Amino acid sequence: MSEWKTDNWFVSHYNYSEEARKGLQLPERVQIHDITLRDGEQQAGIIFRKDEKLQIARALDEAGVDRIEAGMPAVSKQEMSAVKAIANDGLSAKVFAFARCMKSDVDLARQCDVDGVMMEIPSSDHLLKYAYGWPQERAVQSSVEATAYAAQHGLHVAFFTIDATRASFETCWKLVGAVASEGHMDSLVVVDTFGVCSPEAIKYFVTRMKERIRKPIEIHCHNDFGLAVANTLAAVTVGVEIAHTTVNAIGERVGNASLDEVTLSLEMLYGVKTGVRKEKFRELSKTVERLSEIKMPPNKPIVGEGAFTTESGIVVGWWNRLEELRMPLEMFPFKPEVVGQRPVKVVLGKKSGKDSVICKARQLGLKIPNDKLDDVLAKVKETAEEKKRILTDEEFKLLVKDALS
C-alpha cells in the first residue's frame, strides 16, 4: 500500500511524486473551521432556526470538525440565543462567534460563552471609502481597540480581513501590522471575500503575509469563479493550517469552500490529516440540505446522489466485471462507504447498453433470453428518451414483461 493507493482509495501517483510536491510547505494536519451556521446561512433565502442550528452543530461535532462558527450574536436576539445554546451544548469542537471590530459586539460574544471570535474589518481602501465611508485610520483604531478588548476578556481572536485580496498589500498590511503590534490576534484570516484570486495568487499573498507575521494563518475563500476549494488547497500548500468550509458549499452569493471536497482532497491528494470523519459526509450533507432547503445537484462531488450512479453502457460493462472481481477502485477514486455513500447503482436510460440490461435484470431476478436483449435495450432507450429521464425498476419490469409476451 502507498499514500496514493490504499484499501479505500486509488488516486494518481503523480500527486505524491517529488516533482509535483517540490517546494510545498504542507502541514501535517489542517484544522477545519466550519462556517455553515454563519457564512453558510448568509446565502440568500437560507434561515436556520435555533433548534436547526443546534442540530447542525451537533452533526458537525460528530463529524469531527475542530471549530464551529455558530453565528453573529449582533444579528438578533434569536441568533444570540442560538449561539449561546451551541456554546453550552458540551461539544468537543471549539465554538466561535462572528463579530465586527466593536467592543459592543465583543460583549455580545462574551455573553454567549463562546471560545473565540472572528473579528471582521474591511481591509481594502476602496471598500472602506465607497462601501463604508470610512478613512483607513478609523478601521485601524477600531481593530486595535476591539481585538485587544476581546483578548483581555479571554477570547481567542481570529482577525478577519474583509476583501484582503483586492487591497493593495501595504494598505492591508498597515491594518494587520497595527493589530499584531498594538491590538491582538491569535491568528490572521486571509479572506478572499469576492472569490477573485487564482490559486497562484493565493499562494503569493499568503507567502508575503507569512514573511511579516509569525501568527497562524487561516484561509477563507468564496466561490465566485468556482475556485474556493482550489484556493483553499493552494493556501495549505504554503503552510496555512486552518481552513474555513461550509457543508454543501453554501454561503454568501455563490458559496464557500465545500467541507467534504476540501477535507477529502487534503487527505487523499496531499496526505494531510484533518481529523474529520469522512463516513459522516453524506449524512451531514443531507441534514444541511434538508434544513437549508437548498437541494444539491446529483453530480455534486462526493455527496451527490449521482456520485456512484452509472448509466453509460460501456461503463456498466466495466462495472459488471469489476464488481465480480471486487475491485471498485478500478472505476471509482474512493469507495462509496468511505464517505457514507450508498453502494454503486446502475440505472437504465438513453445511454444504456446490453450490459446495463443484463446487470439490471440480474439485480431484479429477471431472466431475459439472449435473442430478446436487443429488443429490450431498444425499448429502454426509446422509453427513456420519451420520458426524458432514467427508468424506474417497475417500468423496466413492465417493459421486459411486454417484450417477452
Side-chain angles (χ1 to χ4, degrees), residues 331-342:
M331 183 167 153
F332 298 96
F334 46 88
K335 292 179 179 178
E337 61 267 26
V338 170
V339 294
Q341 276 278 23
R342 295 171 179 171

Side-chain angles (χ1 to χ4, degrees), residues 212-283:
R212 297 200 181 190
I213 190 169
R214 294 292 178 263
K215 296 286 185 179
I217 295 181
E218 310 184 19
I219 186 69
H220 177 110
C221 294
H222 282 262
N223 205 35
D224 295 75
F225 282 86
L227 292 172
V229 171
N231 285 341
T232 301
L233 298 175
V236 172
T237 67
V238 290
V240 165
E241 297 180 10
I242 304 168
H244 290 205
T245 66
T246 63
V247 179
N248 294 342
I250 61 174
E252 180 73 33
R253 299 186 311 283
V254 295
N256 296 74
S258 177
L259 168 66
D260 54 338
E261 294 171 34
V262 168
T263 53
L264 209 65
S265 296
L266 285 173
E267 298 215 356
M268 295 184 181
L269 305 184
Y270 290 92
V272 175
K273 302 300 181 185
T274 66
V276 175
R277 297 176 62 190
K278 299 180 284 295
E279 70 275 12
K280 294 292 183 179
F281 282 160
R282 185 177 186 276
E283 178 185 350

Side-chain angles (χ1 to χ4, degrees), residues 119-307:
M119 302 205 65
E120 66 152 351
I121 202 78
S123 63
S124 61
D125 43 10
H126 47 86
L127 196 64
L128 281 166
K129 179 179 180 180
Y130 298 115
Y132 286 76
W134 291 1
Q136 189 184 25
E137 289 69 26
R138 176 176 172 179
V140 171
Q141 182 180 356
S142 296
S143 299
V144 168
E145 291 178 355
T147 56
Y149 182 72
Q152 288 164 11
H153 288 87
L155 292 170
H156 178 108
V157 177
F159 187 51
F160 191 93
T161 52
I162 299 173
D163 201 25
T165 56
R166 294 196 308 182
S168 71
F169 187 81
E170 291 309 319
T171 297
C172 184
W173 173 249
K174 182 178 179 180
L175 181 64
V176 173
V179 172
S181 60
E182 303 169 44
H184 183 87
M185 68 169 75
D186 292 295
S187 58
L188 171 67
V189 188
V190 169
V191 187
D192 190 20
T193 303
F194 299 102
V196 292
C197 266
S198 68
E200 293 76 20
I202 285 287
K203 289 194 287 187
Y204 172 73
F205 183 83
V206 169
T207 299
R208 287 196 68 182
M209 275 296 176
K210 287 184 67 178
E211 290 171 351
R212 297 200 181 190
I213 190 169
R214 294 292 178 263
K215 296 286 185 179
I217 295 181
E218 310 184 19
I219 186 69
H220 177 110
C221 294
H222 282 262
N223 205 35
D224 295 75
F225 282 86
L227 292 172
V229 171
N231 285 341
T232 301
L233 298 175
V236 172
T237 67
V238 290
V240 165
E241 297 180 10
I242 304 168
H244 290 205
T245 66
T246 63
V247 179
N248 294 342
I250 61 174
E252 180 73 33
R253 299 186 311 283
V254 295
N256 296 74
S258 177
L259 168 66
D260 54 338
E261 294 171 34
V262 168
T263 53
L264 209 65
S265 296
L266 285 173
E267 298 215 356
M268 295 184 181
L269 305 184
Y270 290 92
V272 175
K273 302 300 181 185
T274 66
V276 175
R277 297 176 62 190
K278 299 180 284 295
E279 70 275 12
K280 294 292 183 179
F281 282 160
R282 185 177 186 276
E283 178 185 350
L284 183 57
S285 172
K286 288 298 180 185
T287 296
V288 172
E289 180 180 55
R290 174 172 53 84
L291 296 177
S292 68
E293 299 184 1
I294 301 296
K295 188 170 179 57
M296 289 297 99
N299 63 337
K300 164 73 172 71
I302 303 171
V303 295
E305 287 296 324

Side-chain angles (χ1 to χ4, degrees), residues 64-123:
V65 303
D66 298 281
R67 304 186 336 193
I68 297 170
E69 194 171 303
M72 186 175 184
V75 167
S76 66
K77 290 181 179 179
Q78 293 87 346
E79 180 79 348
M80 185 172 174
S81 176
V83 173
K84 185 167 186 174
I86 292 168
N88 287 286
D89 199 47
L91 305 180
S92 296
K94 298 292 185 182
V95 177
F96 279 63
F98 196 73
R100 295 163 294 183
C101 281
M102 299 166 57
K103 291 182 179 179
S104 58
D105 273 23
V106 173
D107 286 335
L108 291 176
R110 289 172 58 205
Q111 292 174 45
C112 291
D113 305 321
V114 294
D115 299 293
V117 281
M118 287 279 144
M119 302 205 65
E120 66 152 351
I121 202 78
S123 63

